Each structure stands twice: as C-alpha cells, then as structure tokens.
Amino acid sequence: MTEETPRPRPTPRGELHTQFAVPPDPATLFARRAARFAARAEGHDLAPYLHFMVGIAQVQAALLPALPPLAPIPADHAARAAAHGMPPIDRARLVDDPALTDTIARFLAAAAIPMPDPAAAALARLRADPAAQRQHLANALEDAVAADAVAEHVFIAAALQLHAARLAAQLPPDLLKPVGTGVCPACGGAPVASVLVDRPGAHHARYCVCATCATQWNAVRVTCVLCGGTQGIAYHHIEGRDAGIAAETCNACHGYVKLLSQAEHPELDPVADDVASLGLDLKLQDAGWRRGAVNPFLTGY
Ligand SMILES: [Zn+2]
Ligand SMILES: [Zn+2]
C-alpha cells in the first residue's frame, strides 16, 4: 500500500462558487452503474458477486420507467426542514411511505436474476413476508444490518436507493443546505465515497455521494468527510490497482472514505467501484483504519 500526504494547493478559482448540492439523475444512474459493475467484473476475484450486482442495478434501471409518478415533497415541508437545519427527506417517515412499500414489492418481484444461493433464499423469504420487508427497511434506513440479514439487506437497500433517488431528483437543488459533516443534505444519509469532478462550474471540486439517494454535496478537499478534521489527512492506494481510487484517512477520527477521481476517470461509479476496490478496504482495516463509508452492497466490511 502506498501512502501520500497532501501538498498544499491553492483553491482553484470557481470552487468558491461551486453549486453545493447536485441531485441524482435516476434515468442514467442505475444503467451506468450496471455497466460499470460489468466492466469491473472482468477478471476480478469477486466476479460472481459483481455479476450479481450487475443484475441488481439492471433491475433498478428497468423498473424506473414503470413506477407510478411520485408525489413531490411538499414545498412547505421542505422549507420548514431547511429552516431547522434538517434534510427535506425524512428517513424516519419512509418506513411507512406506501410508494416505497410498493417499490419494494415490485423490486422483489422483478429480481429474477442469476444470484448466489443464499441471496435466492433471502429473496424467497422476503417475497413471502411483508412484515419482514418492513423490518429490514427500518434497519436499512438506519444503516443497521444484522449479521444474519446481509442477503436480505441487498434487495431492500436496492429498492430504497431507487425510491430515494427518485425523491431526491425532484428536490430543487437551491433548497438543499448543509446539515452536518458527512450527512446528505437531501436525505440525511451517509456517504458511500467522495468524488473529484471536473464539470462546468465545478473544476476539480470534491463532492460526497450519498449511499442512499445519490445526491452529491460539495465537501472541501483535504478535509475529513467524517469528522471535518484537516490535520493528519493522507491518501492510500494499492500500486497498480483500482485506477483513480484512493482512501482518504484521518488521524483525528481514524476513519477513512474513498476518493474517486472522476476528473481523470469519468467511468468511476461510487457504489460499483467501492465494491470492486474491496482489496483496499482489507489493507486499510489490517492497518487499523475504520471504514466510515456506507455501502449496502459491502455490508460487513
Ligand atoms: Zn441522500
Ligand atoms: Zn476524521
């Protein structure tokens, strides 16, 4: 593993006026992710699992056009949340959202894809038990997964991602304000990774990406996205592997979150490449670092 400490660098012009929050585009998000999982599966040690993930993302993409229109979050609710420093999507209320319950049922019905036996058994259990669906959803909304429910979590979290991305895509970006370090301004979720982007109005700016709704929010570079610390930040990567991916470690909280350079590698997908770069997690955790990111498809690491 190679470690680098950051060199001081001036803030590029333009970063000061960077748009704070960028909503997801569900119409492209899941199809691109499926393609990226497929590309990463080639010759990978985890190929069988990555192919299963291709299927999951394809189901997410395929369901999207068939889902009934979502009622947008009422503007007065969103404004009230913003006034109290809360994200407009209230995760605690999603457990009883009938549109999400419907999306979960449709996802489970559509998930007839090649999968490992434990996943197939979990899918059968979920299909037969709406009460279990609700319980696993409640856990997924809190990023709390029981060790014996990892297989169920994949399906429920995938349906939740689909619903949350659709909700977030409807939010006016100007409404989204910072709600806390490492917290999604749209849904209150944790980041799956951060990305360096190069796009109009955001020249080499860094964004965190929500593991649940895929909203991006601007985060100052060389600053821990978990605790906000700026001292003792370093970057780790494995020589010759996972091009464009490094882990940003923080001496203050001993946590790390991966940083993906989409500026140099636009094909990188935070969810897919986080799973495919599991080897980097194993090295870091061997060295005593704590994984601070959330990824429903990497539960248990
Ligand atoms: Zn979110
Ligand atoms: Zn930290």
Side-chain angles (χ1 to χ4, degrees):
M1 196 162 53
T2 307
E3 176 174 342
E4 290 165 23
T5 45
R7 279 162 300 189
R9 58 183 274 293
T11 300
R13 275 191 301 161
E15 196 165 315
L16 295 174
H17 304 290
T18 295
Q19 183 178 346
F20 168 63
V22 180
D25 177 13
T28 57
L29 175 70
F30 300 108
R32 289 179 57 131
R33 182 169 298 160
R36 185 58 183 160
F37 267 123
R40 290 301 307 257
E42 298 261 328
H44 200 291
D45 293 348
L46 297 175
Y49 185 69
L50 295 173
H51 283 299
F52 172 40
M53 288 294 112
V54 174
I56 290 287
Q58 284 175 338
V59 173
Q60 289 173 311
L63 272 182
L64 189 66
L67 293 171
L70 275 186
I73 293 181
D76 61 330
H77 169 84
R80 216 166 36 242
H84 289 89
M86 303 287 287
I89 298 173
D90 183 347
R91 290 171 81 93
R93 287 169 64 167
L94 285 182
V95 75
D96 292 315
D97 180 340
L100 174 52
T101 306
D102 176 60
T103 295
I104 290 172
R106 288 168 184 258
F107 189 91
L108 297 176
I113 53 174
M115 65 181 77
D117 289 345
L123 179 61
R125 286 194 296 274
L126 282 170
R127 280 174 170 168
D129 190 351
Q133 294 172 23
R134 189 181 189 282
Q135 185 54 53
H136 290 297
L137 173 61
N139 292 343
L141 287 164
E142 294 182 4
D143 297 321
V145 189
D148 61 356
V150 169
E152 279 88 346
H153 184 62
V154 167
F155 297 105
I156 298 296
L160 171 60
Q161 281 182 339
L162 183 56
H163 182 73
R166 295 177 75 217
L167 276 179
Q170 294 183 339
L171 296 170
D174 292 350
L175 196 84
L176 299 178
K177 305 293 178 209
V179 294
T181 302
V183 182
C184 171
C187 80
V192 60
S194 71
V195 291
L196 276 182
V197 301
D198 194 5
R199 55 191 177 212
H203 178 60
H204 281 254
R206 192 258 286 265
Y207 283 80
C208 286
V209 182
C210 179
T212 308
C213 77
T215 293
Q216 299 189 0
W217 68 97
N218 190 230
V220 179
R221 290 175 68 172
V222 200
T223 300
C224 175
V225 300
L226 300 170
C227 77
T230 56
Q231 304 298 313
I233 303 289
Y235 297 89
H236 307 252
H237 68 278
I238 301 176
E239 208 60 54
R241 284 180 60 177
D242 302 322
I245 303 177
E248 184 180 72
T249 55
C250 168
N251 272 343
C253 69
H254 300 286
Y256 73 90
V257 173
K258 289 174 193 160
L259 175 63
L260 280 53
S261 179
Q262 289 179 333
E264 291 172 39
H265 300 273
E267 70 280 7
L268 290 174
D269 174 83
V271 170
D273 284 282
D274 181 38
V275 176
S277 58
L278 175 63
L280 181 56
D281 294 272
L282 301 180
K283 292 260 187 215
L284 285 159
Q285 290 171 23
D286 276 354
W289 298 103
R290 172 184 61 85
R291 183 177 153 89
V294 163
N295 188 333
F297 308 135
L298 255 192
T299 304
Y301 291 99

